[in-house]
Amino acid sequence: MNKSELLNKIDQLSDAAENFEGYEKFAAKDDISNLKIKVNSMITSDIANKMSSISLPETEDMDDQIKLANDAIKSNENRVSAFNSAYGFLKNALGIVL
Amino acid sequence: MILYRVGNFKSPLIVCLLSLFLVIGCATPPEVKQLSIKQSEYFDVAIKAVSIQSDALIIATEKLIQNAIVNIELEEKNSKIEFNDALLSGSLTQDQANDIIERISQKSKLIKQSKDDLTNDLNIIKNKIVELKLFLTKMKEVNTTMDAYIQSEKAGEAVVKDILNQPNVKALLATVSELTPKIMTGVDELNDFITNIN
């Protein structure tokens, strides 16, 4: 039962209990008390459910992606260094002033 | 060394090769570099904001749980009185007495289960908050990695710097239009040259 169903049941029982007597009344009131306890226990369930619905990527996957990119940047930096050396050499060798 | 043997073909070949370099490399606009740095700051703000919001959520949840427990314990207290009154009333049948004992046991289990459920909800919420904070930290790491690339000197940036040192852009454009036909002949000459080497 969800919260609103429980609250309805509590109301129904409370109304009915008014007409009971003796042990029957005692039993009905005890049932109502249990329902109230149950309702209180569910007070944070929708918040917890909402938070649980948040879906995040695995941090291992993110770490892998980051590592791949860092490695690629390193190799690229080596290429850029080599490229710039080659370019510098070219400039000197050809005596260029752009 | 091939390049020294270029000799008469020097100009067009130079232009041809340098145009190649130019095409290969493009520098990252400074505005993009700046945005990348700003993004890192924006992430710090987001991380702080989520942290504060998460704290608020935990405070609110704990308050709700406190209230719920107060209510539950009130029910427990009232029930004990009712059970006592019923048992001491002396008007119970055997079945009714058994029923009361069963109810006492059920109520006790229910109260324990209820408190456990509330604690469980709080833990779910707290764990998810930890996950979320970690995720944002990782997102910042991703940005830092990308920023390292954006800030670094890209191939061809040296070429662009040289070109930007031209006295004016017009002169540069003039040079380009002047050079284009030379590039084409340069390619032919280069082909000839390569054939001749072989």
Side-chain angles (χ1 to χ4, degrees), chain B residues 96-158:
Chain B
Q96 286 168 348
N98 290 340
D99 186 55
I100 290 189
I101 291 170
E102 181 59 29
R103 283 176 181 274
I104 291 173
S105 163
Q106 285 303 325
K107 188 162 238 93
S108 166
K109 279 189 198 146
L110 180 64
I111 288 170
K112 182 175 188 316
Q113 183 63 52
S114 297
K115 288 180 179 174
D116 287 347
D117 287 348
L118 289 167
T119 307
N120 198 40
D121 282 348
L122 184 63
N123 286 339
I124 289 174
I125 293 166
K126 280 183 174 172
N127 289 341
K128 190 54 82 169
I129 285 174
V130 166
E131 243 187 83
L132 192 57
K133 284 181 179 175
L134 179 60
F135 172 68
L136 282 176
T137 311
K138 286 290 158 195
M139 276 185 74
K140 191 180 169 194
E141 261 182 61
V142 166
N143 187 66
T144 304
T145 297
M146 289 177 68
D147 185 57
Y149 180 69
I150 288 169
Q151 301 301 337
S152 71
E153 192 180 284
K154 307 252 305 288
E157 204 165 277

